[in-house]
Amino acid sequence: NNNNNNNTVIKVSAQLMGSNGELLEMAARVLASEGDAPRVDLNCGCPANVVTGKGAGSSLLRDPTLVFECMRSVKNGCEEYPAIPSLKMRVGFDDANLFRENVTAACEGGAKILTVHGRTRKQGYRGEADWEKIAEAKSICEKYGVMVVGNGDVTSSERAARILRETNCDGVMIGRGAVQDPLLFRRIKSRVRRDANGHVTLKSDEELADEYKMDDEAERVILFLRAFYNEMVENNKRESEKSSRGKIRLRTSKKGIKKTTDSRRVGKLKSIVKYLFAGNPHLAEKMSEIVGVPDHETESTEMLRKVEGLVEQYWKGEPGHVAVDNFSARTGYVELTTM
């Protein structure tokens, strides 16, 4: 991806899901060679039934031997190329009883970076992430020289500093928090510091360098919304081109209302709003004005304009922390039989 500000190229790491060692190795090799991926990651964290039901994602955590074998396959595929083999995991499937075994298996399988989300698969996104498990992973990985990245409930620069202090992890991965606050990466980069001795500090607004001060936050958030919307449009075009009939196959809603491409965009905008408005008390009060509108009763461009108007009027600096399980009705997962 080209950064429009300085025309530098930012390489994007690749992630694989699966449990077939031979296929994982082949895929990793293609990504490392032809794809020029700087890192190839094995997914042992996804909790979705459509993934775990096929023996992939977090379902691998039920068998540390399988974690080792799959990680070794990814590592073998990356050999002779600059790509770094890595692994993303949760603390366990139903519980964390095999946590230490899985961390060890990842390290001995060849992972150079281990990212730990501090929840089990069964938890989904409920409750708080267990940062103590991230600290435990760090203590295990140190003897292997493996870097640990902490993940879970990092929704502000203050919480980024906290997870670094409390776990001693080498880095931070951010997921849903980046949708709650699209400026979160910039806030962390400008405010969080770690010195050579590992001491983590958090700069105040007054201490920020001029280049990081943002008097135009609402405008930047609106640019994020427009980029998200334009990406939806481009994805719809690609889906249509791939379809044999030249049309996107759309489902009918539970109320018997035929969905359209545009109503899907409205629904996705509403999903973004649940994140974006949650941490801002003024915007949170306006959330019903957006999410309460049926997808088929407005055009997506009109919905986008309405959301932009609310952001322009009410966005007031860094949002407050909101637990991620408030963002989605689907927060927990039940076990399905592996196919």
Side-chain angles (χ1 to χ4, degrees):
N1 291 328
N2 288 325
N3 185 316
N4 293 329
N5 293 327
N6 54 24
N7 293 321
T8 58
V9 176
I10 302 173
K11 291 187 177 182
V12 180
S13 297
Q15 189 179 69
L16 294 172
M17 288 194 293
S19 56
N20 182 305
E22 183 178 354
L23 292 178
L24 286 170
E25 182 173 340
M26 290 173 59
R29 184 169 292 111
V30 170
L31 290 167
S33 56
E34 299 176 25
D36 195 27
R39 180 156 68 100
V40 180
D41 192 69
L42 175 64
N43 185 319
C44 293
C46 182
N49 290 334
V50 69
V51 173
T52 58
K54 296 179 181 179
S58 57
S59 67
L60 270 65
L61 300 175
R62 294 181 290 189
D63 184 358
T65 299
L66 187 57
V67 170
F68 169 81
E69 293 174 350
C70 290
M71 187 64 248
R72 182 177 58 183
S73 295
V74 172
K75 185 264 295 184
N76 290 342
C78 291
E79 286 183 348
E80 301 180 7
Y81 302 100
I84 298 171
S86 62
L87 184 145
K88 166 80 186 295
M89 64 178 286
R90 285 179 172 246
V91 300
F93 193 75
D94 286 330
D95 52 50
N97 291 342
L98 294 174
F99 178 69
R100 295 185 67 87
E101 290 86 347
N102 282 319
V103 171
T104 300
C107 294
E108 294 184 348
K112 299 301 181 185
I113 302 173
L114 179 67
T115 302
V116 180
H117 179 176
R119 291 182 176 89
T120 64
R121 184 263 184 177
K122 186 176 182 179
Q123 279 181 275
Y125 299 100
R126 291 187 302 239
E128 293 187 356
D130 186 353
W131 289 358
E132 290 184 4
K133 285 296 181 184
I134 299 172
E136 185 178 347
K138 176 63 178 174
S139 67
I140 297 170
C141 291
E142 281 181 330
K143 67 178 180 180
Y144 294 97
V146 174
M147 296 176 63
V148 172
V149 176
N151 175 233
D153 294 346
V154 181
T155 56
S156 67
S157 51
E158 184 275 332
R159 293 183 71 84
R162 269 188 54 201
I163 195 173
L164 289 169
R165 290 193 198 106
E166 294 178 16
T167 71
N168 196 33
C169 60
D170 300 284
V172 178
M173 175 177 280
I174 300 167
R176 296 182 171 205
V179 186
Q180 180 188 355
D181 180 8
L183 306 177
L184 181 54
F185 296 104
R186 185 180 176 89
R187 297 189 203 281
I188 293 172
K189 183 178 180 180
S190 63
R191 296 189 63 191
V192 179
R193 291 288 181 272
R194 174 185 265 164
D195 62 24
N197 296 319
H199 181 63
V200 178
T201 56
L202 184 67
K203 288 187 176 182
S204 66
D205 291 338
E206 293 73 22
E207 295 173 310
L208 290 182
D210 289 340
E211 64 179 303
Y212 288 117
K213 291 180 179 178
M214 295 182 285
D215 297 324
D216 57 347
E217 286 201 10
E219 294 177 24
R220 293 172 183 266
V221 174
I222 288 172
L223 288 175
F224 158 77
L225 286 165
R226 290 176 182 172
F228 174 79
Y229 182 83
N230 290 336
E231 184 179 352
M232 283 197 294
V233 173
E234 290 302 313
N235 285 340
N236 291 156
K237 289 180 181 178
R238 285 192 289 269
E239 289 176 3
S240 182
E241 292 170 357
K242 289 181 179 179
S243 173
S244 58
R245 298 180 181 178
K247 295 181 180 179
I248 302 172
R249 296 178 181 178
L250 300 168
R251 298 178 180 177
T252 300
S253 72
K254 293 180 180 179
K255 295 182 179 180
I257 300 171
K258 184 71 174 181
K259 292 187 177 182
T260 66
T261 299
D262 199 63
S263 68
R264 288 175 66 195
R265 293 174 190 162
V266 172
K268 289 183 178 180
L269 281 171
K270 288 161 63 175
S271 296
I272 288 293
V273 164
K274 290 179 182 178
Y275 288 82
L276 202 60
F277 286 18
N280 184 309
H282 300 289
L283 285 170
E285 292 177 357
K286 303 294 182 180
M287 192 182 300
S288 60
E289 296 181 16
I290 302 299
V291 300
V293 177
D295 296 354
H296 64 284
E297 290 187 4
T298 186
E299 294 183 358
S300 61
T301 51
E302 178 60 30
M303 176 66 78
L304 178 62
R305 281 194 294 270
K306 187 170 184 178
V307 174
E308 288 181 359
L310 290 170
V311 169
E312 185 176 16
Q313 185 175 0
Y314 294 108
W315 185 273
K316 307 294 181 185
E318 187 169 13
H321 172 67
V322 178
V324 294
D325 57 2
N326 290 338
F327 294 144
S328 174
R330 184 58 179 274
T331 57
Y333 293 84
V334 294
E335 183 174 357
L336 294 180
T337 302
T338 303
M339 296 174 62

